[in-house]
């Protein structure tokens, strides 16, 4: 063969003999392996030279991109980490970060790292006390750890933390480990004991009352009100010292309750707020107060020695049942002092007046003015008492007539309406307890349907309706009324027939509406009961005894029917809790007479769930992966269930049978509702796949959902979206018509 007229020549300062070109054929070849981590892009120039070494064509540029493979394991920045965690730290708040790096291409799964706690020494509990963020490497206490960590029980822990590349999704992932030594310290962030402050302090304010401490310096403290107050008399400084800013008054507020918070520089709370309680202690700073400016008692002139006249009432705003509010009474003056001084005595602790002598005579002195000293040992108050000496009660009330006849009233007469006025008179001294009249119904009204009120000026009695009348219960009342005085009669005088009167009440029937046994009927029932199931029997009674017919209103879904005469309610159609779980209808009871009065009750049907809905997909019905496939790609799916979820749902995911399904695809659980679908290898063709998926719920009995996932493996745009080819249309250039210059890009697989 004749030698060619030209040969190819590579010109580049970056060759280093690794990449060469066959001078006659133009093939590029490798003399060694490429390492992306040392050099990712190689730029070459090729020229065509004649036998004389002169350039015939060129130079042409060639760019070689070295594609990454997973040939570098991740490495932790430290071989050992040390951290401190405080007892009762908030779960999920990081106290330490571990970090690893991977020299592989950061844009590929080869350098996507996944952190995990491999071992936990010691582990005195079944639960893990620590957790790690799989992406960031942030270590924090778990929910059990926040509760259980105690330096008195175990002060140090060792965690073995592992990091994997390929996002931890492949068995071929490269890995490395590190030890994390954790020291548990006692939590200083504790609520202080209840603080006690004496009220109305005269010391200069603000006054330090307690202190809180965050575990580390740099925290920002603040107080949070638990209740809205006109002014908040507390503050806190940045050392955690809490102050009261002004004197407090126990009579205004006895207990203050608020929270102390600790925040980081970003304003995020470091832990739970601490409750702070401040008790305001009472001092004796309030004088006794007379309940009335003038207290008036009455006493009959014939009262005996030691008789109780009345009780003087006084109050003290200091704390109840303490020495500060203990009151003692003493008479300091009596006017007039006729027939002698100290006619009255007062019980020192109770304030009750008694007679010390039986020397009262209304004709000599009709009233006395007594001044009483009330003291709480610090303050003293004077109270005025007027004691009226009244005539003896030797006259009885006498009715103007003994029989007031019969009175006819309707059974729906309103409560409080006056139906009769009666009158008795008393010859004793007017406007005293001896002449005041009290009317009482002594016979004929066991249910207290009537009441009699007295006009204190005229002693006239007004008979009123006290309760709703019911003709069916009682249609007539024969009532006996007695008139008495609040003061006792003198010895030898007694009430007689003159103080007694009679009247009758006739109740006239009114046609009343039927009355249900309940205003609201409530039933709980499972949704799968057969049609025709008896749900409940309702009952209404007509006071007049008329026949009642029952009907349903607002039965919008026609799920129920009612027997017209018996009130039995049955299901009339299948129930469905997922359509409506609280079914409300109205029951009407109507009399069968000319007036046909009716009443209504509410019927609430609470439909309980049964497991009658199989799981379905809430997310992930249509999935796609970009072709060509890369290792570690996955897509998330989410399941749901239309049945009632009393607890967190727990679904199990599995692949159905089919040609190559389980050899090409795998499903992995994330949690009770989510899972990942991922291809098992990267050799799948570019096309649409239908993947049978089985989802089981945890109902009783469990139900199974059989679905077909539509998964598209397709070419993707630069935005990572599935690329859809547009069909050719007239006027569009064909491939053969498109002529361009292709600059070669060769991709080599690095070792």
């Amino acid at each position: 063969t004749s030698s060619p007229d030209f040969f190819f020549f590579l010109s580049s300062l970056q060759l280093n003999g690794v990449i060469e070109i066959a001078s006659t054929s133009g093939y590029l070849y490798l003399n060694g392996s490429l390492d992306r981590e040392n050099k990712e892009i190689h730029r070459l120039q090729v020229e065509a030279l004649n036998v004389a070494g002169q350039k015939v064509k060129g130079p042409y540029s060639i760019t070689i991109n070295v594609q990454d493979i997973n040939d570098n394991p991740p490495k932790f920045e430290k071989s050992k980490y040390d951290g401190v965690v405080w007892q009762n730290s908030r779960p999920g708040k990081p106290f330490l970060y571990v970090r690893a790096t991977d020299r592989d291409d950061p844009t590929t799964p080869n350098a996507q790292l996944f952190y995990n706690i491999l071992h936990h020494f010691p582990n005195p509990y079944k639960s893990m006390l620590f957790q790690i963020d799989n992406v960031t490497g942030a270590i924090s206490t778990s929910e059990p750890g926040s509760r259980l960590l105690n330096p008195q029980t175990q002060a140090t822990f060792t965690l073995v933390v592992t990091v994997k590349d390929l996002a931890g999704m492949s068995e071929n992932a490269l890995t490395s480990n590190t030890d994390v030594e954790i020291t548990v310290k006692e939590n200083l962030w504790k609520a202080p004991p209840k603080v006690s402050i004496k009220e109305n302090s005269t010391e200069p304010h603000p006054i330090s009352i307690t202190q809180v401490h965050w575990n580390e310096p740099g925290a920002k403290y603040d107080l949070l009100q638990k209740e809205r107050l006109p002014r908040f008399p507390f503050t806190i400084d940045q050392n955690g010292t809490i102050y009261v800013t002004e004197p407090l008054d126990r009579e205004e507020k006895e207990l203050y309750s608020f929270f102390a918070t600790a925040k980081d520089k970003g304003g995020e709370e470091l832990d739970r707020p601490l409750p702070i309680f401040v008790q305001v202690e009472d001092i004796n700073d309030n004088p006794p107060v007379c309940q009335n400016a003038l207290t008036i008692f009455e006493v009959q002139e014939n009262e005996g020695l030691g008789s109780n006249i009345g009780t003087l009432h006084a109050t003290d705003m200091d704390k109840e049942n303490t020495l500060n509010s203990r009151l003692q009474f003493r008479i300091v003056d009596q006017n007039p002092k006729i027939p002698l001084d100290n006619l009255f005595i007062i019980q020192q602790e109770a304030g009750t007046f008694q007679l010390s002598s039986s020397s009262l005579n209304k004709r000599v002195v009709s009233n006395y003015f007594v001044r009483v000293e009330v003291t709480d040992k610090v303050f003293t108050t004077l109270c005025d008492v007027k004691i009226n000496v009244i005539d003896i009660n030797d006259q009885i009330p006498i009715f103007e007539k003994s029989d007031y006849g019969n009175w006819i009233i309707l059974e729906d007469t309103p409560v409080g309406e006056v139906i009769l006025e009666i009158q008795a008179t008393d010859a004793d001294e007017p406007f005293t307890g001896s002449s005041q009249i009290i009317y009482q119904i002594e016979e004929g009204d066991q249910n207290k349907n009537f009441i009699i009120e007295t006009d204190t000026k005229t002693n006239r009695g007004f008979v009123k309706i006290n309760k709703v009348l019911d003709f069916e219960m009682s249609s007539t009342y024969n009532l006996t009324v007695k008139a008495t005085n609040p003061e006792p009669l003198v010895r030898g005088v007694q009430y007689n027939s003159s103080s007694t009167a009679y009247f009758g009440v006739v109740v006239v029937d009114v046609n009343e509406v039927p009355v249900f046994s309940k205003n609201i009927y409530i039933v709980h029932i499972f949704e799968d009961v057969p049609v025709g199931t008896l749900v409940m029997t309702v009952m209404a009674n007509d006071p007049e005894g008329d026949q009642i017919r029952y009907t349903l209103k607002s039965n919008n879904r026609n799920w129920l029917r009612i027997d017209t005469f018996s009130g039995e309610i049955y299901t009339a159609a299948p129930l469905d809790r997922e359509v409506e779980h609280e079914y409300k209808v109205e029951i009407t009871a109507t009399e069968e007479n000319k007036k046909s009065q009716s009443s209504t009750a509410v019927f609430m049907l609470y439909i309980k769930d049964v497991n009658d809905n199989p799981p379905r997909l809430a997310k992930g019905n249509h999935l796609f992966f970009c072709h060509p496939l890369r290792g570690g790609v996955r897509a998330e799916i989410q399941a749901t269930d239309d049945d009632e979820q009393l607890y967190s749902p727990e679904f199990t995911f599995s692949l159905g049978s089919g040609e190559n399904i389980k050899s090409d695809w795998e499903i992995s659980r994330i949690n009770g509702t989510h899972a990942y679908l991922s291809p098992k290898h990267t050799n799948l063709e570019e096309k649409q796949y239908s993947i049978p998926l089985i989802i089981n719920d945890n109902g009783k009995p469990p139900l199974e959902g059989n679905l077909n996932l539509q998964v598209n493996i397709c070419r993707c745009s630069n935005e990572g979206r599935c690329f859809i080819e547009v069909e050719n249309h007239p006027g569009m250039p064909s491939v053969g018509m498109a002529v361009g210059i292709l600059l070669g890009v060769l991709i080599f697989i690095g070792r």
Side-chain angles (χ1 to χ4, degrees), residues 86-93 141-149 187-192 212-215 219-224 258-264 268-276:
W86 298 90
Q87 181 184 11
N88 304 125
S89 292
R90 192 172 67 193
K93 184 171 182 59
T141 58
S142 63
E143 187 71 39
S146 176
R147 291 183 286 103
L148 299 174
L149 284 175
N187 187 15
L188 303 178
W189 186 243
K190 296 179 180 179
V212 295
H213 298 276
W214 179 242
N215 298 314
K220 294 184 178 181
Y221 299 101
D222 198 5
L223 297 182
L224 181 65
F258 52 94
F259 294 99
T261 64
K263 299 179 180 179
D264 59 19
E268 183 181 354
E269 287 190 358
L270 294 166
D271 206 335
R272 308 173 186 86
L274 298 180
I276 309 295

Side-chain angles (χ1 to χ4, degrees), residues 77 120 199 208 233 237 328 435 543 587 614 623 634 678-679 691 706:
E77 294 179 354
H120 179 304
E199 65 173 329
S208 168
D237 64 18
Q328 294 183 321
S435 62
I587 312 166
L623 307 174
R634 60 190 182 184
S678 54
I691 302 174
N706 290 279

Side-chain angles (χ1 to χ4, degrees), residues 48-62:
L49 306 179
N50 58 22
V51 293
Q54 297 173 329
K55 180 169 66 175
V56 177
K57 286 189 178 182
Y60 296 100
S61 296
I62 297 176

Side-chain angles (χ1 to χ4, degrees), residues 594-637:
K594 294 180 180 179
K595 295 186 178 180
S596 297
Q597 296 203 82
S598 63
S599 61
T600 302
V602 174
F603 181 78
M604 289 296 304
L605 186 67
Y606 290 96
I607 303 173
K608 296 191 288 186
D609 188 44
V610 296
N611 194 24
D612 59 348
N613 289 277
R616 59 180 178 82
L617 281 182
K619 172 185 174 183
N621 289 284
H622 298 283
L623 307 174
F624 73 90
F625 296 96
C626 293
H627 189 274
L629 291 172
R630 297 183 305 170
V633 293
R634 60 190 182 184
E636 183 180 299
I637 61 175

Side-chain angles (χ1 to χ4, degrees), residues 36-210:
R36 189 205 66 86
E37 285 70 45
N38 290 329
K39 189 171 183 60
E40 185 175 356
I41 300 174
H42 296 263
R43 293 181 174 87
L44 313 175
Q45 286 187 334
V46 62
E47 296 174 331
L49 306 179
N50 58 22
V51 293
Q54 297 173 329
K55 180 169 66 175
V56 177
K57 286 189 178 182
Y60 296 100
S61 296
I62 297 176
T63 300
I64 299 176
N65 293 325
V66 182
Q67 184 175 345
D68 186 47
I69 63 171
N70 191 23
D71 59 345
N72 289 281
K75 291 184 178 180
F76 281 101
E77 294 179 354
K78 299 179 180 179
S79 60
K80 180 184 176 184
Y81 290 82
D82 294 291
V84 174
V85 64
W86 298 90
Q87 181 184 11
N88 304 125
S89 292
R90 192 172 67 193
K93 184 171 182 59
F95 63 85
L96 176 66
Y97 285 84
V98 296
R99 289 185 175 87
T101 56
D102 192 308
R103 294 185 62 209
D104 290 319
D105 187 351
T107 64
T108 69
N110 297 335
Q112 292 180 13
L113 303 183
F114 181 89
Y115 297 93
N116 188 37
I117 297 176
L118 189 62
H119 297 297
H120 179 304
F121 303 108
N123 191 357
Y125 305 100
K126 294 181 180 179
S127 304
M128 292 288 284
L129 303 181
F130 302 94
Q131 58 189 0
I132 190 168
D133 188 298
N134 304 127
V135 177
T136 65
I139 298 177
S140 61
T141 58
S142 63
E143 187 71 39
S146 176
R147 291 183 286 103
L148 299 174
L149 284 175
N150 186 342
Q152 307 299 325
T153 305
Q154 180 67 39
T156 58
F157 292 87
T158 299
L159 306 184
V160 178
V161 177
T162 182
V163 62
K164 296 181 180 181
D165 57 20
L166 296 178
M169 297 300 296
S170 173
E171 295 179 355
N172 298 324
L174 303 178
T175 182
S176 64
N177 301 322
T178 189
D179 285 354
V180 179
E181 299 288 341
I182 298 175
T183 301
V184 182
K185 291 190 175 182
E186 183 180 1
N187 187 15
L188 303 178
W189 186 243
K190 296 179 180 179
K194 180 190 287 187
V195 179
S196 293
I197 303 176
K198 286 190 178 296
E199 65 173 329
N200 298 323
S201 171
T202 57
E203 296 181 33
H205 286 73
I207 300 173
S208 168
I209 58 174
T210 189

